[in-house]
Amino acid sequence: MRIVLLGPPGAGKGTQAKRLADRYGLPVIGTGDIFRDHVARGTPLGLRAKEYMDRGDYVPDEIAVSMVLGRLKEPDCRVGFILDGFPRTVPQAQALERALTEAGTPLDAVLNFKVSDEMVVKRLTNRLVCSSCGRPYNLAFKPPRVEGVCDVCGGRLTLRSDDDEATILRRLEVYRRETEPLVLYFWERGLLRDIDAEAPEQVVFDRTVEALSDLLDVDG
Ligand SMILES: [Zn+2]
């Protein structure tokens, strides 16, 4: 099974990716990991990517595509994969589709995790993190047992600093502007499945598995 995950920050996409990977025995392919791996190994692509990453810019399509397609040729992807964070643009999607079609292994589905801006703000503004062990909390959805104290290690909880409402809304706007054409692109190809992600983690997971079962006729 070969799937792509789309969704804004705060949609819970990363968590769902991990759970889908466990359920179906698939690797999660995240561009961040691939980029870091290339940079760490000092490959020619990695060195070029690093220049952009150091400036805080997106890695250009051509470099990103080469890295991801290379990664998808590795043996663990023979059973399929879950792509998280790629493609990000229509040209990337076209390059991916072309390569997969040539290999005779086309995409099966693109899951689009949908949440309202209000829910994203609620999820992200209430995030706390343990200053000792890094465990995440959320005042609205997953509060600590004792206010301000980590359940596991007793460390002090601090608010995540990047998460004020204006910053989140700006990130969401950028996300929607960038992703809209991509959503349309996959919808036109009959690959897009919307998942209502405005629910607890387990409910969203059940919905996702159901969507995939309908699509692939695999048992859940
Ligand atoms: Zn802790």
Side-chain angles (χ1 to χ4, degrees), residues 69-132:
L69 294 183
R71 176 67 185 85
L72 296 181
K73 285 189 190 124
E74 285 176 29
D76 62 330
C77 292
R78 262 180 225 145
V79 289
F81 52 77
I82 299 167
L83 264 175
D84 182 7
F86 183 96
R88 188 164 230 140
T89 64
V90 170
Q92 288 182 359
Q94 287 167 331
L96 176 69
E97 189 176 40
R98 209 161 33 231
L100 292 177
T101 305
E102 271 168 26
T105 55
L107 281 180
D108 293 302
V110 176
L111 303 178
N112 186 27
F113 291 94
K114 298 189 82 165
V115 276
S116 65
D117 287 5
E118 294 73 35
M119 177 59 97
V120 170
V121 167
K122 202 159 146 197
R123 282 181 180 170
L124 298 187
T125 47
N126 289 298
R127 284 204 296 191
L128 297 170
V129 64
C130 173
S131 53
S132 308

Side-chain angles (χ1 to χ4, degrees), residues 127-150:
R127 284 204 296 191
L128 297 170
V129 64
C130 173
S131 53
S132 308
C133 73
R135 188 180 170 84
Y137 291 88
N138 185 297
L139 287 176
F141 304 102
K142 192 178 131 191
R145 281 194 292 269
V146 178
E147 196 187 318
V149 180
C150 178

Side-chain angles (χ1 to χ4, degrees), residues 163-192:
D163 293 342
D164 67 279
E165 185 166 343
T167 308
I168 294 166
L169 288 174
R170 214 162 29 238
R171 270 157 66 200
L172 274 173
E173 196 192 309
V174 170
Y175 173 81
R176 299 211 196 280
R177 197 171 52 225
E178 275 187 344
T179 316
E180 213 60 45
L182 209 52
V183 167
L184 185 66
Y185 177 87
F186 286 124
W187 179 78
E188 284 172 345
R189 277 153 187 77
L191 288 169
L192 196 77

